[in-house]
Amino acid sequence: MSSNKSRPNRQRSALEPQRRRGKDRVAALMEAAAGVIAERGFESATMAEIAARAGAQIGSLYRFFPNKEALADALIYRYGEIVREAFEKIEARASALSVHDLADALLNVLFELHGESQTMVALLEARSEWSVKRNEFRRAAVQYIARILTLRAPHLRPDTVEDVAVVLLHTMKTLKALTIQQGVAINTGAPAELREMTRLYLASKFGEK
Amino acid sequence: MSSNKSRPNRQRSALEPQRRRGKDRVAALMEAAAGVIAERGFESATMAEIAARAGAQIGSLYRFFPNKEALADALIYRYGEIVREAFEKIEARASALSVHDLADALLNVLFELHGESQTMVALLEARSEWSVKRNEFRRAAVQYIARILTLRAPHLRPDTVEDVAVVLLHTMKTLKALTIQQGVAINTGAPAELREMTRLYLASKFGEK
Amino acid sequence: MSSNKSRPNRQRSALEPQRRRGKDRVAALMEAAAGVIAERGFESATMAEIAARAGAQIGSLYRFFPNKEALADALIYRYGEIVREAFEKIEARASALSVHDLADALLNVLFELHGESQTMVALLEARSEWSVKRNEFRRAAVQYIARILTLRAPHLRPDTVEDVAVVLLHTMKTLKALTIQQGVAINTGAPAELREMTRLYLASKFGEK
Amino acid sequence: MSSNKSRPNRQRSALEPQRRRGKDRVAALMEAAAGVIAERGFESATMAEIAARAGAQIGSLYRFFPNKEALADALIYRYGEIVREAFEKIEARASALSVHDLADALLNVLFELHGESQTMVALLEARSEWSVKRNEFRRAAVQYIARILTLRAPHLRPDTVEDVAVVLLHTMKTLKALTIQQGVAINTGAPAELREMTRLYLASKFGEK
DNA sequence: AATGAATGAGATTTCATTCAT
DNA sequence: AATGAATGAAATCTCATTCAT
């Protein structure tokens, strides 16, 4: 059927893996996508650059991801899983944590997605009308935070909890944005201030000093 | 005919209209641009749609704004002026304000740019490496906030003041983002929570109850 | 979607086609480009017409040549190679040639690039500040001529040789221009006169009668 | 009829001539056009830049020159007149000149159009199918040179004279091109060589030593 | 006469996506 | 599966020219 006639294997190194496993390829593509999107934003990231950075061909990229949206969704999903795990860890010890530590733990969820969180932010910033997945992620994150808050402070009204969760999610995003902050001088003081603000707020909400 | 890419209009900034007609046109173009950018984000807004919405020809748009960047800069500048005025009003009565009122006043600066603030956010979110103007705006805003804080709480250390200002600016943006919140249910509780968080934080910084 | 002017393809040079199909296409595109540029001049030649004449889609043209400059460079390079070969043939038998034959051989280098030399001239005439490649070509040609002259007349001072080479290169271009001569009556006498002038000059330089 | 309502004369300096004489304006426009065309070539020169450089408005430019071609024609005509005068001066003393001096005199005709000759070259290089005037200029120049040659060497056959004239005209252009030569190092030797070549050639044609 | 705004066709370029091999 | 060529709509931008005031 498919002959190799038109692509003779001259200079094909014996050791070069000719057919990377699909999984590796997908991983490489997603990593490349994350990098490009983080650098340029979702809109400006091009499928061609993503493929190139992954050492793949554009056709290969489209084999695994039928379009750009799907790629974004896959990334969101992957990060979503990581984030979910982080939330679950916090949830497990929620009731044991001091306000201070809980605030920090939450803030660190996004923060510790080191390289990738920039991608997350870029993805979440992109015009969202197009994608359902992005909103789902937001909603899920809010739910997780709300659940954790409820565990720690069961007396809070459900309505309030959700509002607080929304605020906290934004604060998490802000922390990330603060540390990325385009260009030069990385502001070391501001993140500390943001952490303090969050602690104060949580403490107040929990009715603790 | 022949276009000349070696002598692009990249550097020229927005042209000042001389006549009544031009002034009207520029106003219409900027309003249209604000609308389209708010709706679609900066990257996805097209010059053609902007011109069309302003009832202008594409050439007319380019007469006054030599490129998309220049249009963005003009918008930033315009909103920058509005914001500056708002800050100056706050500055004038800074020492007389309660912490509560100061926090609200600051949060309202961006918030009250009603229609336009969505544009602002879109513009500020756009990949910033490209534009100097956008960063200038950020810096100026931080300076204004820092000055106001110093007036109200002269005992704060200059370093700290700047960090606090950075945090507050982000909070202002967040408030706006919360109220826009793509799509459906406008979250009424969350903004109130955010305001409360800001007040608590400021009060703590000021050493007041 | 969104175009990104901050990351233009300006620097990338022509893409090497990998497959049979691409090679044919590139050949067709270059031929079409040569034709259109020869007819209209570089500035007035449009990418659309070039693509159409090659039976290609505009996107196909841009796949291989990221911009108009790159196309020009590729053409210059191709003709440069042909010219280089011609010079090398002359070089090989330089010391054996009579003044008369050497003059003719040099004049024929450009002259015999039959169809294409018109393109060359158009390309070389285009404002040169834009392109490095074009100047490189000029410089290389001068070096070749100078080397040939030195082989044949080793007693000439290196400075002088280069100046003579510059004059000869212009004469070569002039011969071509004379035979193209826009529009009507092809002047048969003038080229002969130009050849005679060149011979006289070379003979004088070589100190031969 | 025409009131100044919309353009009040605030800050209009009393000494600033408000309405330049048409002649001055035309002169300024032509000078500006010459400059821009010399720098960028005819195709790439834009009417807007020409007007701007003349301190005029685009509408003003079009009042005097109905289109770009007309502007080119006017320039050609103007330089044509200058060239004509130069030729006539040479003609007047043609029979008294040595071959050496005649060659130099002819070469200097274009050469001494100091600033403007670059414009001439640009204009003459532009695709000519569009313009009749440009060819006329060429033809006229050839006629002048031919007449001068005939005066000095009446024994030359008319056919030959015209061919020689064509060659000489190209040599004149070449001399100019050599001295402009884009970029840095002005080749001082090459022009001298070109002059020598021309003298040798003329001397030979005239049957003189 | 002068000014500057308006026009709009057309130029270059980009890029997501599809297709043939 | 993989490769890389093809597609073509759409985006940005240019500019000669016309027009209203």
Side-chain angles (χ1 to χ4, degrees):
Chain A
M1 296 290 139
S2 93
S3 89
N4 258 352
K5 277 270 178 48
S6 62
R7 188 171 24 109
N9 34 7
R10 44 176 182 194
Q11 83 219 43
R12 177 183 290 172
S13 144
L15 287 182
E16 187 192 350
Q18 196 49 31
R19 190 157 293 189
R20 267 206 264 184
R21 314 270 18 193
K23 274 196 179 168
D24 291 354
R25 173 124 297 186
V26 166
L29 287 169
M30 285 182 72
E31 191 159 353
V36 176
I37 290 170
E39 283 171 27
R40 310 207 184 280
F42 179 68
E43 316 280 341
S44 299
T46 74
M47 295 298 268
E49 186 176 1
I50 291 168
R53 186 173 300 195
Q57 225 53 40
I58 187 76
S60 202
L61 176 51
Y62 271 88
R63 171 160 308 272
F64 295 106
F65 303 96
N67 54 50
K68 210 178 166 185
E69 256 316 295
L71 191 47
D73 286 348
L75 285 169
I76 289 278
Y77 180 79
R78 181 218 263 199
Y79 296 145
E81 290 302 286
I82 299 178
V83 166
R84 174 208 307 273
E85 281 170 32
F87 278 135
E88 275 167 2
K89 266 185 200 150
I90 298 176
E91 200 175 348
R93 53 202 184 103
S95 44
L97 287 173
S98 69
V99 185
H100 183 291
D101 290 346
L102 178 60
D104 267 6
L106 287 172
L107 286 170
N108 284 340
V109 166
L110 258 187
F111 186 66
E112 285 174 346
L113 264 177
H114 273 297
E116 302 90 340
S117 57
Q118 212 171 144
T119 312
M120 266 315 253
V121 172
L123 246 21
L124 261 13
E125 269 173 354
R127 298 289 100 178
S128 48
E129 325 138 43
W130 311 329
S131 169
V132 187
K133 292 280 168 62
R134 315 247 243 292
N135 281 325
E136 267 173 26
F137 172 81
R138 264 181 278 250
R139 224 157 306 184
V142 168
Q143 290 318 314
Y144 267 107
I145 299 171
R147 211 176 323 153
I148 290 168
L149 293 178
T150 306
L151 273 175
R152 180 61 174 67
H155 59 285
L156 290 175
R157 291 182 33 220
D159 277 9
T160 311
V161 166
E162 190 145 332
D163 293 336
V164 175
V166 167
V167 168
L168 288 178
L169 180 57
H170 271 277
T171 313
M172 290 162 63
K173 252 175 66 179
T174 299
L175 179 63
K176 196 62 218 178
L178 274 180
T179 56
I180 301 169
Q181 207 67 302
Q182 62 288 350
V184 239
I186 295 150
N187 219 320
T188 53
E193 292 292 333
L194 191 72
R195 284 176 184 276
E196 196 188 327
M197 179 169 74
T198 310
R199 279 178 227 128
L200 283 167
Y201 174 59
L202 260 197
S204 157
K205 279 289 130 183
F206 288 180
E208 301 177 13
K209 217 236 83 131
Chain B
M1 304 296 144
S2 97
S3 93
N4 192 338
K5 291 289 160 163
S6 67
R7 186 172 32 107
N9 266 354
R10 281 301 134 73
Q11 43 253 33
R12 172 156 81 77
S13 67
L15 191 71
E16 197 67 30
Q18 303 298 314
R19 308 243 252 246
R20 189 67 204 286
R21 189 105 174 271
K23 289 204 166 102
D24 293 351
R25 181 86 342 149
V26 164
L29 287 169
M30 285 182 72
E31 192 157 353
V36 177
I37 288 171
E39 282 171 26
R40 309 206 186 283
F42 179 68
E43 314 281 341
S44 301
T46 79
M47 297 297 268
E49 182 174 1
I50 291 169
R53 186 175 300 195
Q57 228 42 45
I58 188 74
S60 250
L61 175 51
Y62 275 91
R63 169 171 176 81
F64 295 106
F65 304 97
N67 54 55
K68 211 177 163 185
E69 259 313 296
L71 189 49
D73 285 349
L75 285 170
I76 288 276
Y77 180 79
R78 182 216 263 198
Y79 297 145
E81 290 302 287
I82 299 178
V83 165
R84 174 208 306 273
E85 280 170 34
F87 278 134
E88 274 166 4
K89 267 185 199 147
I90 298 175
E91 201 178 347
R93 56 206 181 97
S95 44
L97 287 172
S98 68
V99 185
H100 184 290
D101 289 346
L102 179 59
D104 267 6
L106 286 173
L107 287 171
N108 284 339
V109 166
L110 260 186
F111 187 66
E112 285 174 346
L113 263 177
H114 272 299
E116 302 91 342
S117 57
Q118 210 171 144
T119 312
M120 259 322 247
V121 171
L123 247 18
L124 261 13
E125 267 174 357
R127 298 290 98 179
S128 47
E129 329 140 43
W130 309 332
S131 170
V132 186
K133 292 280 168 62
R134 314 248 243 291
N135 283 323
E136 268 174 26
F137 173 81
R138 265 181 274 251
R139 221 157 310 183
V142 168
Q143 291 316 314
Y144 266 107
I145 299 171
R147 213 179 319 155
I148 289 168
L149 293 178
T150 306
L151 273 173
R152 181 59 174 65
H155 58 286
L156 289 175
R157 289 185 33 221
D159 277 11
T160 311
V161 166
E162 190 144 330
D163 293 336
V164 176
V166 167
V167 168
L168 288 178
L169 180 57
H170 271 277
T171 313
M172 290 161 63
K173 252 174 66 179
T174 299
L175 178 63
K176 196 61 218 181
L178 276 180
T179 57
I180 299 169
Q181 206 65 302
Q182 58 289 348
V184 246
I186 294 149
N187 219 319
T188 52
E193 291 294 333
L194 191 71
R195 285 178 184 276
E196 196 187 327
M197 177 170 75
T198 310
R199 279 180 226 124
L200 283 166
Y201 174 59
L202 260 196
S204 156
K205 280 287 131 183
F206 287 0
E208 300 177 12
K209 209 236 90 98
Chain C
M1 300 293 147
S2 97
S3 93
N4 193 338
K5 290 291 162 161
S6 66
R7 187 171 32 109
N9 267 353
R10 279 304 132 71
Q11 40 254 33
R12 173 156 81 77
S13 67
L15 190 71
E16 197 68 28
Q18 303 298 313
R19 305 244 251 247
R20 187 65 204 288
R21 188 105 174 269
K23 289 203 167 107
D24 292 352
R25 181 87 341 151
V26 165
L29 287 169
M30 285 183 71
E31 192 157 354
V36 177
I37 290 171
E39 281 171 27
R40 308 207 187 284
F42 178 68
E43 315 280 341
S44 302
T46 78
M47 296 298 268
E49 183 176 0
I50 290 168
R53 185 173 302 193
Q57 229 39 46
I58 189 74
S60 251
L61 175 51
Y62 274 89
R63 168 170 177 82
F64 295 105
F65 304 97
N67 54 54
K68 211 177 165 186
E69 258 313 297
L71 189 48
D73 285 349
L75 285 169
I76 287 278
Y77 180 79
R78 180 216 263 199
Y79 296 147
E81 290 301 288
I82 299 178
V83 165
R84 175 208 304 275
E85 280 170 34
F87 277 135
E88 274 166 5
K89 267 186 199 148
I90 299 176
E91 201 177 347
R93 54 201 183 101
S95 44
L97 287 172
S98 69
V99 186
H100 184 289
D101 290 346
L102 179 59
D104 267 7
L106 286 174
L107 287 171
N108 284 339
V109 166
L110 260 187
F111 186 67
E112 285 175 345
L113 264 176
H114 274 298
E116 302 91 341
S117 56
Q118 210 169 148
T119 312
M120 261 321 247
V121 172
L123 247 19
L124 261 12
E125 267 172 357
R127 296 291 99 179
S128 47
E129 328 139 44
W130 309 333
S131 169
V132 186
K133 292 280 167 61
R134 316 248 241 291
N135 282 324
E136 268 174 26
F137 173 81
R138 266 180 273 253
R139 222 157 308 184
V142 168
Q143 291 315 315
Y144 266 107
I145 300 172
R147 213 180 317 157
I148 290 168
L149 293 178
T150 305
L151 273 174
R152 182 56 175 64
H155 58 284
L156 289 176
R157 290 186 33 220
D159 278 10
T160 311
V161 165
E162 190 144 330
D163 293 336
V164 176
V166 168
V167 168
L168 288 178
L169 180 58
H170 271 277
T171 312
M172 289 161 63
K173 254 174 66 177
T174 300
L175 178 64
K176 196 62 218 179
L178 275 180
T179 56
I180 300 169
Q181 206 65 302
Q182 57 287 351
V184 244
I186 295 152
N187 219 319
T188 52
E193 291 293 332
L194 190 72
R195 286 176 183 275
E196 195 187 329
M197 178 170 74
T198 309
R199 280 181 226 126
L200 282 168
Y201 173 59
L202 260 196
S204 156
K205 279 289 130 184
F206 287 1
E208 300 178 13
K209 221 235 76 119
Chain D
M1 293 290 143
S2 94
S3 90
N4 259 353
K5 277 268 176 53
S6 62
R7 188 170 26 109
N9 34 7
R10 46 181 178 190
Q11 79 218 45
R12 176 183 294 174
S13 146
L15 286 184
E16 187 193 352
Q18 196 50 31
R19 190 158 296 188
R20 269 206 263 184
R21 313 269 21 193
K23 276 195 178 169
D24 290 354
R25 171 118 307 178
V26 166
L29 287 169
M30 286 182 71
E31 190 158 354
V36 176
I37 290 170
E39 282 171 27
R40 311 206 184 281
F42 179 68
E43 316 280 341
S44 299
T46 75
M47 297 297 268
E49 186 175 3
I50 290 168
R53 187 173 300 193
Q57 224 54 39
I58 188 76
S60 202
L61 176 51
Y62 271 88
R63 172 160 307 274
F64 295 106
F65 303 96
N67 54 50
K68 210 178 167 185
E69 258 314 296
L71 190 48
D73 286 348
L75 284 169
I76 288 277
Y77 179 78
R78 183 219 261 200
Y79 296 144
E81 289 302 287
I82 299 178
V83 165
R84 174 209 305 274
E85 281 169 32
F87 277 134
E88 274 167 2
K89 267 186 199 148
I90 298 175
E91 201 177 346
R93 54 204 181 98
S95 44
L97 287 172
S98 69
V99 186
H100 184 290
D101 290 346
L102 179 59
D104 267 6
L106 286 173
L107 287 170
N108 284 340
V109 166
L110 259 187
F111 187 66
E112 285 175 346
L113 264 177
H114 273 297
E116 302 91 340
S117 56
Q118 211 171 145
T119 312
M120 265 315 254
V121 172
L123 246 21
L124 262 14
E125 268 173 356
R127 298 289 100 179
S128 48
E129 326 138 45
W130 311 328
S131 169
V132 187
K133 292 281 167 64
R134 314 246 244 292
N135 283 324
E136 269 174 24
F137 172 81
R138 264 181 276 252
R139 224 157 305 184
V142 168
Q143 291 316 316
Y144 266 107
I145 298 171
R147 211 178 320 153
I148 289 168
L149 292 178
T150 306
L151 273 174
R152 180 60 174 66
H155 57 285
L156 290 175
R157 290 185 32 220
D159 276 9
T160 311
V161 165
E162 190 143 330
D163 292 337
V164 175
V166 167
V167 168
L168 287 178
L169 180 58
H170 271 277
T171 312
M172 290 162 63
K173 253 174 67 178
T174 299
L175 179 64
K176 196 62 218 178
L178 275 181
T179 57
I180 300 169
Q181 207 66 305
Q182 61 288 352
V184 239
I186 295 149
N187 220 318
T188 52
E193 291 294 331
L194 191 72
R195 285 176 185 275
E196 196 188 325
M197 178 169 75
T198 311
R199 279 180 227 125
L200 281 167
Y201 174 59
L202 261 197
S204 158
K205 279 288 131 185
F206 288 0
E208 300 179 14
K209 210 234 90 102

